[in-house]
């Protein structure tokens, strides 16, 4: 039986880490735990906020349903009495009952409450799925969808950038790159957090624009209303070493540029996977007020 290379060891998820020694693997896991510890309180807040209005709306619906059942039962009784007769006093009682339960308000608000509840459930589901994918990203190299990886990074960092209003994602082509999903997930989180802190003036919305440049896809993180890419200083506004280290397995390049009026971050990833047809732009959920 051929000898097994000593550098190939089983990973904690049951896969194989090729060419990564135990110290480096431990460093990756420490980085993941550090970032998860930082993000967990914000994620908990993002989950609790929609759950709160889901609960409020559910209680409203329960009370409203009771009122509706009462008035509908009243209508049925009245209709039996009114059948073939004229009873003005009974008709006035019906009108008074409608005013008492504010029937017009109930009929207007119940659909809104249901829609908000469904929206809240959708937000919680999307956050939970993104957080699960982020936590379970493995170290075994494989084809990774860039837009999906960006969407996950935006979801798990939402509490860090939501004061910006929104973080818009526009990727012109459905691109796939090859490498460890874990490294890409953590690296993109670092870049998103840097962009949230340094792109444009405080409070400005941020956009990520992805375009294919030959055999690579270039992602530009900038203020949403920025019409051009700064060509001035390229000194980093923050520590980008962790992001560069995490993205090194993809042979990625990461630059920060500024002309004195906010920063843009340029991330180039070689397309050693396959690029697909154009995908519709995706928009991240805006911050709730």
């Amino acid at each position: 039986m051929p000898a097994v290379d000593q550098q190939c060891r089983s990973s904690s998820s049951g896969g194989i880490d090729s060419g990564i020694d135990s110290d480096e693997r431990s460093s990756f896991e420490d980085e993941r735990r550090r970032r998860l510890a930082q993000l967990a309180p914000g994620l908990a807040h993002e989950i609790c906020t929609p759950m709160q209005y889901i609960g409020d709306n559910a209680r409203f619906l329960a009370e409203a349903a009771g009122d509706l059942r009462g008035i509908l039962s009243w209508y049925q009784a009245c209709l039996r009495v009114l059948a073939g007769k004229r009873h003005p006093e009974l008709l006035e009682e019906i009108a008074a009952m409608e005013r008492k339960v504010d029937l017009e308000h109930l009929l207007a608000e119940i659909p809104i409450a249901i829609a908000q509840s469904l929206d809240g459930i959708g937000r919680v589901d999307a956050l939970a799925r993104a957080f699960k994918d982020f936590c379970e990203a493995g170290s075994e190299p494989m084809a990774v969808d860039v837009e999906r990886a960006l969407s996950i990074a935006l979801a798990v960092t939402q509490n860090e950038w939501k004061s910006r209003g929104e973080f818009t994602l526009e990727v012109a082509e459905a691109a796939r790159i090859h490498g460890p999903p874990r490294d890409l997930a953590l690296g993109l989180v670092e870049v998103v957090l840097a962009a949230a802190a340094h792109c444009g003036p405080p409070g400005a919305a941020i956009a990520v624009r992805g375009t294919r440049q030959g055999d690579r896809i270039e992602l530009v993180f900038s203020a949403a209303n920025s019409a051009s890419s700064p060509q001035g200083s390229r000194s980093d506004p923050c520590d980008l070493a962790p992001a560069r280290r995490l993205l090194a397995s993809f042979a990625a390049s990461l630059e920060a540029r500024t002309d004195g009026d906010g920063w843009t971050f340029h991330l180039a990833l070689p397309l050693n996977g396959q690029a697909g047809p154009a995908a519709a732009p995706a928009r991240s959920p805006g911050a709730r007020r």
Side-chain angles (χ1 to χ4, degrees):
M1 179 180 294
V4 178
D5 190 322
Q6 291 298 314
Q7 289 185 318
C8 295
R9 301 178 176 89
S10 296
S11 69
S12 59
S13 60
I16 299 295
D17 277 338
S18 299
I20 300 179
D21 61 31
S22 59
D23 289 342
E24 187 173 358
R25 186 165 60 252
S26 176
S27 177
F28 275 126
E29 294 305 318
D30 288 344
E31 184 74 22
R32 190 206 299 263
R33 284 191 291 269
R34 181 184 70 82
R35 188 55 76 190
L36 286 175
Q38 177 185 346
L39 296 174
L43 284 169
H45 173 77
E46 290 302 311
I47 290 173
C48 289
T49 299
M51 289 304 294
Q52 181 178 351
Y53 68 74
I54 289 173
D56 291 342
N57 286 333
R59 285 187 287 273
F60 167 77
L61 289 173
E63 183 178 346
D67 289 337
L68 286 176
R69 282 195 299 270
I71 195 169
L72 289 175
S73 296
W74 177 263
Y75 278 156
Q76 290 172 346
C78 290
L79 288 174
R80 286 193 294 270
V81 174
L82 288 173
K85 301 179 181 179
R86 294 181 61 84
H87 291 276
E89 69 284 357
L90 196 51
L91 293 175
E92 177 55 34
E93 285 188 55
I94 293 174
M97 185 67 171
E98 288 184 352
R99 291 191 295 270
K100 180 180 178 181
V101 301
D102 199 353
L103 183 61
E104 184 176 351
H105 173 75
L106 292 178
L107 294 177
E109 291 297 320
I110 285 176
I112 296 174
I114 293 173
Q116 288 181 344
S117 297
L118 292 173
D119 179 68
I121 292 170
R123 287 174 181 266
V124 172
D125 182 65
L127 280 170
R129 288 176 182 273
F131 194 46
K132 179 176 181 290
D133 289 346
F134 178 74
C135 292
E136 293 181 350
S139 58
E140 181 73 12
M142 63 178 62
V144 186
D145 183 272
V146 174
E147 187 171 9
R148 173 59 183 161
L150 267 171
S151 297
I152 291 172
L154 290 175
V156 300
T157 58
Q158 183 172 326
N159 192 65
E160 306 298 319
W161 56 257
K162 70 176 185 178
S163 62
R164 296 284 195 150
E166 67 178 8
F167 212 127
T168 305
L169 175 59
E170 300 175 2
V171 179
E173 291 189 75
R176 298 177 73 83
I177 60 177
H178 194 270
R182 173 197 61 190
D183 299 9
L184 184 62
L186 287 168
L188 287 176
V189 163
E190 295 289 342
V191 179
V192 168
L193 293 178
H198 299 285
C199 282
I206 303 174
V208 187
R209 299 179 177 92
T211 57
R212 183 167 182 171
Q213 305 289 338
D215 61 352
R216 64 181 183 171
I217 182 168
E218 183 172 1
L219 303 174
V220 179
F221 298 72
S222 64
N225 60 358
S226 176
S228 60
S229 176
Q231 299 298 322
S233 171
R234 297 192 180 188
S235 60
D236 296 344
C238 55
D239 183 12
L240 295 177
R244 291 191 176 104
R245 178 171 61 82
L246 289 162
L247 295 169
S249 54
F250 292 89
S253 65
L254 174 62
E255 289 184 353
R257 304 175 187 173
T258 185
D259 55 8
D261 187 24
W263 291 81
T264 64
F265 296 84
H266 297 250
L267 174 61
L269 296 160
L271 286 170
N272 44 12
Q274 293 183 344
R283 297 178 68 85
S284 64
R288 288 179 296 281
R289 303 295 182 189

